[in-house]
Amino acid sequence: MSLLRSGDGKKGRILTEPVELSHQDQNLKLKVVNKKLRRKMGDWSRLTEVLAASCPKLPIPKMPYKAFAPTKIYQELVVDLSDAHLNAAWDYSKTDGKSEYSFDIGCELLNYLVQEVCRLASQDRSKYGLHNLRLRFLGDILHGHLRVSDEVTNDFPTASSILSTAWVLFQAVCQLLANFRQIDIICMAGNHARLADKPDAHRYVEENLETIVYGMLKALVAEHKLGDRVTVTIPNSRIYTFNQLGHKIKVGHGDHIRGGNSIADVPIYGLGREILRQFRNDVLSGAEGGIALMEYGHWHQSCFLSNILLLNGSLCFTGPWAIEEKGVFTDPTQWVYYTSEKYAIGWSMPLSVKAGKGKGHPYTYDPEMFVGHKALTKGD
């Protein structure tokens, strides 16, 4: 490579030939263009809007009641929903007779959760109000295709599973609208629906099939003109911090926390470091109050650590991999709790949904309805 000395009088400064400098400029410009194109490729909004427009229209429940002053401190209801793994399927032969699962069973468990949430709200509404619902999807709602093995298969092809999952979630939201005046939804992507094993950290959300599911849910809300009663937030990050009635809440799927030294497959050491790291950040930043609550899914275990870190269970039953490799078997549970301006978390419980299996559900999910405006159940 030929070299030139600079003409600015500084000894020892060496520059490449002007031709090579122009190549560097071109490379830099191409990197900028490539970055913009990658962001554009990860924007699924146009696709989700077209799909939502082709859906049949559902009857929307009216405002359920007139808001009134509760007899005690006003509170709102929070539901964490994660690890449904809709589209995963296995039978009893894969789990030594302990569990079975399918898309239809997942719908039954989801329907049971919705009914129980509505029952709780109706039961305590006169005391606490509970006019608003805060619903969090903490990832792995859709199973995806990366983790399919001989033990676990998929009920539907990828495209059909995306359409069916989004449509079922929207029907569940409509069920909840009959009992709540306002629903705020936060949607976090999980690891099972990723399009690559180890995507770029900045592409975790864009290159994820769950992002399309959430985008369709948001588009369906807009298509049915529910924007005044339902808000859908899809953060472009693996961790999302927001304000809830004056409290800072941090949510995510949880797969960013390293495993190892686990108890019942829960990485206690890694979670402990997460809590200490958050405490340190709050102290150094001088943030008033700091993070009041962290909520993650991923491990299919319901527990509450150090009064700050809430781990959500799974909506699905324990699968073959967890039973064989980890020796873990738990009931499907999802966290439900009350929140107020005074307390970030008040009454709370991991709600078991196993009783929903075999009780049926009202959801339709035939992908053909997106083309012919025809809604069918799997059994029709």
PDB file of all heavy atoms in Angstrom, residues 182 222 287 365:
ATOM      1  N   GLN A 182     -61.146   0.490  31.377  1.00  0.00           N
ATOM      2  CA  GLN A 182     -59.899   0.802  30.682  1.00  0.00           C
ATOM      3  C   GLN A 182     -58.939  -0.364  30.824  1.00  0.00           C
ATOM      4  O   GLN A 182     -58.813  -0.938  31.912  1.00  0.00           O
ATOM      5  CB  GLN A 182     -59.261   2.069  31.262  1.00  0.00           C
ATOM      6  CG  GLN A 182     -57.937   2.469  30.640  1.00  0.00           C
ATOM      7  CD  GLN A 182     -58.090   3.091  29.260  1.00  0.00           C
ATOM      8  OE1 GLN A 182     -59.106   3.713  28.965  1.00  0.00           O
ATOM      9  NE2 GLN A 182     -57.099   2.921  28.414  1.00  0.00           N
ATOM     10  N   ALA A 222     -57.114  -0.892  16.964  1.00  0.00           N
ATOM     11  CA  ALA A 222     -57.369   0.305  16.160  1.00  0.00           C
ATOM     12  C   ALA A 222     -58.485   0.072  15.150  1.00  0.00           C
ATOM     13  O   ALA A 222     -59.332   0.949  14.930  1.00  0.00           O
ATOM     14  CB  ALA A 222     -56.085   0.717  15.442  1.00  0.00           C
ATOM     15  N   ALA A 287     -32.229   8.453  42.028  1.00  0.00           N
ATOM     16  CA  ALA A 287     -33.631   8.483  41.631  1.00  0.00           C
ATOM     17  C   ALA A 287     -34.523   8.362  42.852  1.00  0.00           C
ATOM     18  O   ALA A 287     -34.327   7.487  43.688  1.00  0.00           O
ATOM     19  CB  ALA A 287     -33.922   7.338  40.662  1.00  0.00           C
ATOM     20  N   TYR A 365     -60.316 -19.651  16.043  1.00  0.00           N
ATOM     21  CA  TYR A 365     -58.944 -19.405  15.592  1.00  0.00           C
ATOM     22  C   TYR A 365     -58.606 -20.084  14.274  1.00  0.00           C
ATOM     23  O   TYR A 365     -57.458 -20.439  14.031  1.00  0.00           O
ATOM     24  CB  TYR A 365     -57.945 -19.845  16.663  1.00  0.00           C
ATOM     25  CG  TYR A 365     -58.099 -21.263  17.166  1.00  0.00           C
ATOM     26  CD1 TYR A 365     -57.540 -22.332  16.474  1.00  0.00           C
ATOM     27  CD2 TYR A 365     -58.787 -21.530  18.339  1.00  0.00           C
ATOM     28  CE1 TYR A 365     -57.662 -23.626  16.940  1.00  0.00           C
ATOM     29  CE2 TYR A 365     -58.914 -22.811  18.818  1.00  0.00           C
ATOM     30  CZ  TYR A 365     -58.344 -23.870  18.119  1.00  0.00           C
ATOM     31  OH  TYR A 365     -58.469 -25.137  18.589  1.00  0.00           O
TER      32      TYR A 365
END
